[in-house]
């Protein structure tokens, strides 16, 4: 599970490159693909166990940080016990680093790096991170 330039929430882990996002969601051991519902639209992601339709029962649900190219997105069951859903999302806008997968979720390492650079006054790093699309409204891990 690669979480480079990503992060972790209580529901999933994720990582990214300039062109793609990898999301990892834990599911019960020995899950079969037919028991998993993954719905990807250009702007939203839903991961749930089939039969669980209420929003509160969804494993992951919400608006994506930016748009994805749905036709290029896939998902698979992984892990020795089929206990991990791996979702591949292809970014519509490459070269933009996301600060979260789902809007309002955990800030990425890129977002935290922006805050550190700003606190330390490293202008060149701030410019680079702003050009990468970092959400500058992320929370400072030191002050909350």
């Amino acid at each position: 599970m690669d979480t480079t330039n990503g992060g972790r929430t209580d529901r999933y882990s994720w990582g990214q490159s300039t062109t793609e996002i990898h999301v990892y969601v834990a599911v019960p051991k020995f899950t079969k693909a037919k028991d998993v519902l993954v719905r990807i639209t250009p702007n939203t992601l839903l991961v749930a166990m089939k039969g669980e339709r209420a929003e509160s029962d969804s494993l992951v649900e919400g608006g994506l940080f930016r748009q994805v190219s749905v036709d290029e997105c896939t998902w698979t069951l992984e892990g020795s016990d089929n206990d991990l859903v791996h979702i591949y999302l292809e970014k519509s806008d490459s070269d933009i680093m996301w600060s979260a997968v789902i809007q309002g979720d955990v800030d990425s390492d890129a977002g935290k790096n922006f805050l550190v650079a700003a606190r330390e006054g490293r202008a060149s790093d701030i410019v680079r991170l702003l050009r990468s699309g970092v959400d500058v409204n992320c929370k400072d891990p030191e002050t909350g």
Side-chain angles (χ1 to χ4, degrees):
M1 207 172 7
D2 183 9
T3 59
T4 303
N5 295 317
R8 296 182 191 282
T9 73
D10 58 339
R11 300 170 294 146
Y12 62 91
S13 300
W14 68 285
Q16 69 179 316
S17 71
T18 56
T19 59
E20 61 194 37
I21 302 279
H22 293 270
V23 182
Y24 306 94
V25 182
V27 293
K29 285 184 174 185
F30 310 112
T31 294
K32 297 188 183 312
K34 67 181 178 119
D35 298 326
V36 179
L37 172 64
V38 177
R39 186 176 301 136
I40 304 166
T41 73
N43 299 302
T44 63
L45 174 64
L46 168 68
V47 181
M49 298 302 292
K50 286 188 180 172
E52 299 176 6
R53 296 286 188 222
E55 184 177 322
S56 62
D57 292 336
S58 299
L59 300 172
V60 176
E61 183 171 16
L64 293 168
F65 180 74
R66 306 246 340 180
Q67 284 194 344
V68 297
S69 301
V70 175
D71 291 341
E72 303 303 321
C73 297
T74 61
W75 68 274
T76 59
L77 275 171
E78 296 181 356
S80 60
D81 296 326
N82 276 1
D83 59 352
L84 191 68
V85 176
H86 175 191
I87 303 154
Y88 167 82
L89 303 172
E90 185 168 303
K91 297 176 179 180
S92 291
D93 300 320
S94 60
D95 295 332
I96 294 179
M97 298 301 279
W98 293 16
S99 62
V101 174
I102 302 297
Q103 295 174 16
D105 276 355
V106 70
D107 300 325
S108 70
D109 293 338
K112 292 173 188 158
N113 291 341
F114 173 83
L115 292 167
V116 169
R119 205 172 25 252
E120 295 176 1
R122 296 190 323 253
S124 62
D125 288 342
I126 293 169
V127 169
R128 178 183 53 80
L129 289 163
L130 285 172
R131 286 184 179 154
S132 74
V134 167
D135 179 2
V136 296
N137 293 315
C138 52
K139 293 180 184 171
D140 188 327
E142 289 188 6
T143 62

